[in-house]
Amino acid sequence: MSQALRSRTPRSAATALFDVVLGACAVLVLGGGLVAISWVLWRAVGWLLASGQIAPAIEQGIARVSLTSLLSSTLVISVLALAIAAPLGILAATHLEECAPSARRRLLGALHVVAAWPALVFAAPVLWLAHHSLGVAPNGWVAGGALGLLISAPIAAVCAEALRAVPRQLRDQTIALGARPRAVTWRVLIPAARGGVAAAIVLGALRAAGESAFLALLVGGAARGPFPLAGPTDTLASFPIRAQPASLVAEGPAYGVVFACAGLLLLWTWLLAGLGRRASRRLLRPEAS
Amino acid sequence: MTQRRWLASAVAWLPVAVWIAAVAVVFWAWVGPSGPQSGAESMFLDLPDGSLAAAAASTAVMGLAAFATAVPLGVGAGLYLASRLRRGGWLRRSLELVADGLETAPPLIYGLAALEFGTLMATDSGRLGFGALAMGWILAPLALGATRRALSNADPCVHRSALALGISPRLALVSIVLPMVAPRIARAVLVGLARAIGDATPLLVLGAAAWTTASPRNLDAPLASLPVTAFHALTDRQAGFHSSAAAAMVALLGMALVLQLFAFAIARAPRWTR
């Protein structure tokens, strides 16, 4: 479209003004966002260099917190959540392909609706049932499991859209060759839509990484042992919430760790997004399908 | 065979079913035996420590301020990227990379950036204006991404036909292509807004108050919001915290549902689809 837009006719004053306004919007949005993110990264790197160690440990309240334990908890809880959410989301999406159009419409609509609901509404019953009623101490298993169920809806919704995007002829021809609906789904649709399925899983991982308040409620705080699922733990996303940076001294060690956590979390999400983009691009290549 | 089908159906509905169960538990905590006993008014408005209506008003003011500033800027930036820069050029590719990076950044980052901005200005960051700033930082890349995706999926023939009829490129973009893709942009932005107002993260790092008693008059009012109220009520073990948290979450869920319904209605409105 951009080629078509570059008209050879001389630009009028209104068009020039329009270009300037759009350019100013781009500068404000991208420049403002870049400044915000760079500032947080700068604070994180500055503090890490000033503290003189890669994995500093600080006393936060009664707990001792280190960046390595926070990073390992984040990875383990994310993997647990994805191990639950990815199969559940893919199974839900494949079932949508096999059910009647009216049921498909209802279920897909419901998935899209619940995917945008606030995560706190999901965290509250888990907190009440697991911790208050059953007396289970906060731990990584509960947090990872709940997070997995939370992100299964967006994964299922995006997966279902990816399966719907597969050309109709492909499934019609497979059915004409005598394949059963289940075989069509698993042997034709999913391999054809694997780029979209990979993108859905990455989207779920990104959502899992960003749910700070949800995790802060469920993890219990303070990463202690080497195995983060067994007892109360903390993640890169939940620690900044629990540390309450607005009430900390701006140059203190806890304030620095909050920014270091945020910086690492940002790099983690960018790594995930980059991997997802690369995977979908590779899987969408004509020779790969 | 029937059993397998039933099982597959149960698995398919599980992501939705767990949400329905969660919402049912929250409703039960709100209206059930442990909930407030003094009538419907106290359920919504006057909780032990503050007013839920005031928290809802603060959320609405903050969301509205972020929406009014960030969405036009984001849509404008998306139009610039998609229509004014050469496809495949280094500048467009670099800016798209930046836009993707901003869109995938966790809300925590924008909350901390707003906190630092408050520290730089030597003012208290626990103000509605800073909450709106953080929310705007979240919403603007989202609007940019939605616009970019909608324009790249638009049928190029319509635009070419408009140019062939002698319409200027600016007019073709603004009065023909943009109305065509507007429902998709509006839907994505409204769903994004519903998620942004339900996210407590940026507001918690800004030091939002757990409760508020007065409705906000401007953006200098103390920062309070429904998700923050719900978060603090959930972490508080005082008597009645179940019902206070549940009341805040029911109100939050109501706001999210209204925005989603609005998004659905906009996407289905006949004047867009004509």
Side-chain angles (χ1 to χ4, degrees):
Chain A
M1 195 170 74
S2 57
Q3 272 84 356
L5 271 176
R6 286 195 309 280
S7 169
R8 292 181 197 286
T9 52
R11 292 197 321 166
S12 67
T15 306
L17 184 68
F18 182 64
D19 282 355
V20 168
V21 169
L22 292 189
C25 288
V27 167
L28 277 172
V29 171
L30 298 175
L34 257 184
V35 166
I37 279 182
S38 311
W39 186 259
V40 173
L41 277 177
W42 173 252
R43 286 298 299 239
V45 172
W47 186 79
L48 281 173
L49 291 177
S51 72
Q53 41 188 327
I54 300 297
I58 55 142
E59 300 290 334
Q60 171 61 31
I62 55 163
R64 194 171 165 78
V65 174
S66 77
L67 277 184
T68 43
S69 62
L70 292 175
L71 189 61
S72 66
S73 307
T74 305
L75 294 179
V76 171
I77 289 178
S78 298
V79 168
L80 174 64
L82 279 180
I84 294 169
L88 207 59
I90 294 171
L91 281 174
T94 53
H95 177 73
L96 274 171
E97 281 305 304
E98 292 168 16
C99 61
S102 61
R104 184 191 302 144
R105 219 175 17 251
R106 270 201 300 273
L107 182 51
L108 194 58
L111 282 172
H112 277 296
V113 168
V114 299
W117 280 357
L120 280 180
V121 177
F122 196 78
V126 178
L127 194 73
W128 293 335
L129 296 176
H131 303 330
H132 301 166
S133 300
L134 299 175
V136 179
N139 61 61
W141 288 110
V142 173
L147 192 61
L149 287 175
L150 176 80
I151 61 172
S152 62
I155 289 182
V158 178
C159 251
E161 299 288 358
L163 292 180
R164 293 304 300 162
V166 174
R168 185 81 211 165
Q169 296 97 313
L170 207 61
R171 71 189 83 193
D172 289 347
Q173 285 161 3
T174 321
I175 290 169
L177 287 170
R180 290 182 176 183
R182 194 165 295 268
V184 174
T185 305
W186 288 100
R187 295 195 179 174
V188 177
L189 292 187
I190 290 189
R194 54 194 171 171
V197 173
I201 293 171
V202 168
L203 185 87
L206 287 174
R207 177 102 191 250
E211 288 296 352
S212 301
F214 180 87
L215 283 171
L217 277 173
L218 296 180
V219 289
R224 291 193 184 99
F227 188 60
L229 293 179
T233 184
D234 238 332
T235 66
L236 289 175
S238 66
F239 179 75
I241 301 283
R242 300 172 63 79
Q244 300 177 338
S247 59
L248 294 173
V249 182
E251 299 306 324
Y255 195 76
V257 171
V258 165
F259 277 85
C261 284
L264 280 177
L265 189 67
L266 183 64
L267 295 180
W268 168 241
T269 53
W270 280 351
L271 179 74
L272 278 175
L275 286 176
R277 204 173 304 129
R278 201 184 163 100
S280 357
R281 211 175 291 148
R282 271 187 71 176
L283 294 171
L284 285 174
R285 265 190 218 148
E287 62 266 32
S289 56
Chain B
M1 188 67 191
T2 317
Q3 262 184 344
R4 257 177 79 179
R5 186 170 285 271
W6 186 87
L7 193 68
S9 190
V11 169
W13 278 96
L14 191 62
V16 176
V18 290
W19 265 105
I20 291 171
V23 171
V25 170
V26 168
F27 263 93
W28 178 249
W30 178 47
V31 296
S34 63
Q37 304 294 316
S38 53
E41 195 183 339
S42 69
M43 284 178 182
F44 269 120
L45 301 176
D46 304 315
L47 293 169
D49 301 304
S51 161
L52 208 56
S58 295
T59 311
V61 166
M62 203 162 44
L64 211 63
F67 185 85
T69 50
V71 173
L73 286 175
V75 171
L79 284 176
Y80 183 77
L81 250 68
S83 65
R84 298 283 140 186
L85 298 178
R86 191 168 59 84
R87 192 187 292 267
W90 68 270
L91 184 60
R92 180 163 169 174
R93 272 189 287 136
S94 315
L95 292 182
E96 281 179 345
L97 200 68
V98 172
D100 285 342
L102 294 179
E103 204 178 347
T104 50
L108 172 72
I109 304 293
Y110 296 116
L112 285 175
L115 177 69
E116 277 288 293
F117 189 59
T119 311
L120 270 180
M121 290 176 68
T123 53
D124 177 19
S125 61
R127 304 272 155 204
L128 272 187
F130 288 100
L133 177 69
M135 213 180 264
W137 262 328
I138 296 170
L139 269 182
L142 215 143
L144 191 159
T147 308
R148 207 155 53 89
R149 280 187 289 274
L151 286 176
S152 66
N153 289 335
D155 187 1
C157 301
V158 177
H159 189 256
R160 283 197 210 114
S161 312
L163 291 182
L165 288 171
I167 299 173
S168 75
R170 178 178 55 87
L171 213 58
L173 180 69
V174 173
S175 60
I176 294 172
V177 180
L178 196 56
M180 207 169 72
V181 297
R184 295 185 69 167
I185 300 172
R187 189 173 179 169
V189 166
L190 283 171
V191 170
L193 180 65
R195 282 203 56 202
I197 64 163
D199 199 346
T201 307
L203 310 177
L204 282 169
V205 295
L206 279 169
W211 295 98
T212 182
T213 47
S215 293
R217 294 186 180 278
N218 51 37
L219 288 176
D220 205 33
L223 180 57
S225 170
L226 281 174
V228 177
T229 301
F231 183 89
H232 283 292
L234 282 171
T235 49
D236 192 355
R237 296 288 185 99
Q238 287 175 1
F241 73 99
H242 270 64
S243 57
S244 302
M249 281 184 285
V250 167
L252 191 59
L253 204 57
M255 288 180 95
L257 273 174
V258 165
L259 280 172
Q260 283 182 318
L261 277 176
F262 198 49
F264 184 75
I266 280 181
R268 287 287 176 107
R271 67 196 172 89
W272 297 109
T273 52
R274 188 163 50 195

